[in-house]
Amino acid sequence: MAKSVVAIVGRPNVGKSTLFNKLIGSRLSIVDDTPGVTRDRIYGDCEWLNRKFLLVDTGGIEPDTNDIILKQMRTQAEIAIDTADVIVLVTNIRDGVVASDYEVASMLQKSGKPIVLCVNKCDSIGEPDPDFYEFYNLGLGDPIAVSAAHGHGTGDLLDEVLKYLPEETEEEEDDEIINVAIIGKPNVGKSSLVNKISGENRAIVSDIAGTTRDTTDTFVENEWGKFNLIDTAGLRRKSRVDDVIEKYSVIRARMAVERANVCVIMIDAAQGFTEQDSKVAGIAIEQGKACIIAVNKWDAVEKDGNTMNEYRKKLENDFSFMSYAPFIFISAKTGQRIDRLFELISFVHSQNSMRISTGKLNEVLADATARVQPPTDKGKRLKIYYMTQASTRPPTFVFFVNNAELFHFSYQRYLENQIRETFGLDGTPVRFIIRERGDSKK
C-alpha cells in the first residue's frame, strides 16, 4: 500500500524547511532566512510510532502576489494540498498572526483536508508566550507550539498528525495479480503501451512530453496471468521540469513503484541510454523491485542483421549497475513483442518471489568457498559459517561470519554471481545481510 502524504505549507520564511529537515532527520531542504528559498516541493520518508508516511515540503504561499515565482510557488503548494492526506500549516510566533496567515488558513479550510496548526519558533521551554494564544483566531483548533530549530514540540506535532492519517488496512491482496509500474522519462511511450495492451485509449497520448501527470491503473488478464498496469508520469531531470504540475509527478511515480511487484523501465530506442534512465532505474532498485528494461519504438530504428545484438551490448554496458535485468525490444505502436513482455513480467516476478532452502544455499556456499578462498587481512581469514534466506521481494540472504569487516564487497559480488548462476534470480536485485556470530545487529 502506498504511503500516506503529509504536506507542510505556510507563508514564506516561517521555518517550513527547518521543520521538514528535523522531522525526516536530514538536510534535504535548503534552509535560509531569505523568503522563497524553497521553490520546488521536496519529499522525504518520515516515521513516527511505527507509522511511515511521505512528508512534502513546499514553497511559501503568498495568496495575493503578481510575482511570477511566488505565483508558481503558490500553485505548487496548492497541488501538494490537493494530494495530501493531512496538512501541517506552519506559522511563526515571532511575527504573530498576520493577514497572510488568515488567507492561507481560509484556503486550506476550503480543501476539506485535516489541518494541524503548528506555531514555530517557540524556542523557550515552559509556558508558551502570551502571543501563542492569538493563533486560536485562525479557527483551526488547538495550535501546537514547536521549535523546529531545537526539536521542541515535534513529538506532539507528529502525534496530532497521526490522529488524522488514514487507517492502515491489511488489504487482502490477490496473489495472482501482478502489479506492474511502467516508468521512464517523459515521451518514451508509456501511455501508448498501456493503450495498446488494453485496446482502448485508457491514457491520454501525446507527443508533448509530460502529458501524463498522474498514475492510472489498467487491469489485464491473458494467458500469462493477471496484471495491473500502473502508468506513471514521466520522470525528467529537475532542470528540465518547467511545468509546476509535472513537478509533483515524481512523488506519484515513486508511490507507484512502491505499489508495484515489477517495474518496466522504458527507454526510447532512438535516444538510447541517458543519465535520467539510470535515475529512474535507481528508484526501482532502491525498493527491491523486479525489473525489465523495455526498449520502445524499435519499429522506428533502421536495422540490419546485427543491430539488436550491437544495441544490446551497449545497453549491457550502460546498465551494468543492474546486470540482472533482462532487455526486450518492443513497439507500443505496432504491438511488437508485447506478448513476450507479459511472459517476461510473469517470469521476473516469480524470480523476485523465489525462496531457496537453507540446505541448497549452503551447498552452493561450500562449493563457492572451496573454489575461491574467502579473503584474509593481517593473517586473519574470513569464515562464513552458514547462510539462509531471510525474505523474498527481493530475495534477501543472511550470512553468519566471524568478522563482518573481512567480508569485502568483491567477495560478496562473487558469491552473488555463484547464487545467480545456480538459481537464476533473473530480473531481481538481491540483498545481503552480514551478521557476526553472536551479534544479530551487524
Side-chain angles (χ1 to χ4, degrees):
M1 187 178 71
K3 295 185 181 78
S4 298
V5 178
V6 176
I8 298 177
V9 300
R11 59 186 174 80
N13 208 29
V14 291
K16 297 184 298 298
S17 295
T18 303
L19 178 63
F20 172 84
N21 290 338
K22 178 63 71 174
L23 295 181
I24 67 168
S26 65
R27 287 177 58 87
L28 277 184
S29 277
I30 300 169
V31 178
D32 194 283
D33 287 336
T34 307
V37 166
T38 305
R39 293 183 179 176
D40 298 333
R41 282 174 306 280
I42 300 172
Y43 61 92
D45 290 315
C46 188
E47 182 174 358
W48 184 250
L49 300 179
N50 297 318
R51 182 71 192 271
K52 295 180 180 179
F53 53 91
L54 207 59
L55 196 65
V56 183
D57 184 21
T58 66
I61 302 174
E62 283 281 14
D64 296 313
T65 179
N66 292 319
D67 183 274
I68 293 174
I69 296 296
L70 290 176
K71 276 187 173 180
Q72 289 182 346
M73 289 161 59
R74 182 178 64 205
T75 303
Q76 290 181 56
E78 288 170 350
I79 298 163
I81 291 164
D82 184 54
T83 311
D85 296 295
V86 179
I87 301 162
V88 175
L89 172 59
V90 182
T91 56
N92 185 334
I93 198 164
R94 294 179 190 172
D95 299 335
V97 180
V98 299
S100 293
D101 290 328
Y102 284 107
E103 292 171 23
V104 173
S106 176
M107 184 181 82
L108 296 181
Q109 286 173 316
K110 291 174 184 175
S111 73
K113 302 291 179 71
I115 304 163
V116 177
L117 177 57
C118 167
V119 182
N120 191 27
K121 302 188 181 179
C122 296
D123 297 333
S124 58
I125 299 175
E127 283 296 314
D129 188 292
D131 293 337
F132 174 78
Y133 299 99
E134 180 186 1
F135 289 88
Y136 278 94
N137 293 328
L138 291 174
L140 298 176
D142 294 333
I144 297 173
V146 169
S147 170
H150 301 103
H152 306 153
T154 53
D156 294 336
L157 180 69
L158 290 171
D159 284 344
E160 195 66 18
V161 166
L162 256 55
K163 290 179 184 178
Y164 296 107
L165 286 183
E167 288 289 328
E168 279 189 313
T169 54
E170 293 295 328
E171 295 179 1
E172 291 281 333
E173 286 192 13
D174 186 342
D175 289 336
E176 293 184 359
I177 297 177
I178 302 174
N179 290 307
V180 184
I182 302 173
I183 60 177
K185 295 181 305 184
N187 209 28
V188 293
K190 299 183 297 298
S191 297
S192 296
L193 177 63
V194 173
N195 290 344
K196 188 68 177 179
I197 290 168
S198 63
E200 59 176 306
N201 288 330
R202 183 69 177 80
I204 299 169
V205 178
S206 168
D207 287 335
I208 302 170
T211 301
T212 305
R213 287 170 175 160
D214 210 334
T215 59
T216 56
D217 287 15
T218 301
F219 179 77
V220 176
E221 185 172 1
N222 56 31
E223 61 183 302
W224 303 110
K226 300 176 182 177
F227 305 89
N228 180 43
L229 305 180
I230 309 166
D231 180 21
T232 62
L235 302 174
R236 63 169 74 196
R237 290 199 310 275
K238 199 162 202 172
S239 60
R240 294 287 303 279
V241 181
D242 299 320
D243 185 338
V244 293
I245 298 175
E246 188 187 340
K247 290 177 181 177
Y248 202 66
S249 68
V250 177
I251 297 177
R252 299 278 197 174
R254 175 180 161 167
M255 293 168 72
V257 171
E258 283 183 8
R259 291 171 52 206
N261 305 117
V262 177
C263 292
V264 176
I265 302 163
M266 290 187 69
I267 68 171
D268 188 321
Q271 294 181 11
F273 176 83
T274 66
E275 181 186 352
Q276 185 65 2
D277 291 316
S278 67
K279 292 181 179 178
V280 170
I283 296 174
I285 294 171
E286 178 189 324
Q287 297 190 37
K289 305 298 182 178
C291 292
I292 296 166
I293 298 164
V295 183
N296 190 30
K297 306 182 184 179
W298 191 242
D299 58 304
V301 174
E302 291 187 16
K303 296 177 271 297
D304 58 33
N306 294 318
T307 304
M308 186 178 290
N309 286 335
E310 290 172 359
Y311 206 109
R312 187 187 298 275
K313 285 178 183 177
K314 184 178 184 309
L315 285 178
E316 285 173 353
N317 182 61
D318 293 332
F319 282 96
S320 58
F321 59 91
M322 55 185 311
S323 56
Y324 53 82
F327 299 99
I328 184 169
F329 296 82
I330 67 170
S331 169
K333 184 178 180 180
T334 67
Q336 184 182 21
R337 296 193 186 88
I338 286 180
D339 286 344
R340 169 63 180 151
L341 176 62
F342 278 107
E343 182 183 3
L344 208 50
I345 290 170
S346 181
F347 174 67
V348 299
H349 175 60
S350 68
Q351 299 286 287
N352 188 243
S353 308
M354 183 185 294
R355 184 168 288 279
I356 306 167
S357 71
T358 300
K360 290 181 178 179
L361 283 172
N362 285 283
E363 286 176 14
V364 172
L365 177 63
D367 184 57
T369 52
R371 284 193 214 171
V372 178
Q373 288 288 308
T376 61
D377 185 29
K378 297 178 182 176
K380 191 169 186 179
R381 183 175 295 279
L382 169 70
K383 291 182 182 177
I384 305 175
Y385 300 115
Y386 70 98
M387 66 178 293
T388 188
Q389 185 172 354
S391 61
T392 62
R393 300 186 186 180
T396 302
F397 304 99
V398 183
F399 291 82
F400 292 87
V401 303
N402 63 331
N403 188 327
E405 292 181 0
L406 293 175
F407 203 165
H408 300 153
F409 172 78
S410 58
Y411 200 71
Q412 290 183 38
R413 177 58 60 87
Y414 163 70
L415 291 180
E416 178 183 334
N417 290 337
Q418 296 303 302
I419 292 168
R420 288 186 183 279
E421 190 177 303
T422 305
F423 301 108
L425 298 175
D426 298 317
T428 178
V430 299
R431 291 179 179 164
F432 286 176
I433 298 172
I434 315 303
R435 289 184 180 168
E436 291 183 8
R437 179 176 274 184
D439 187 353
S440 61
K441 295 182 180 179
K442 292 230 177 188

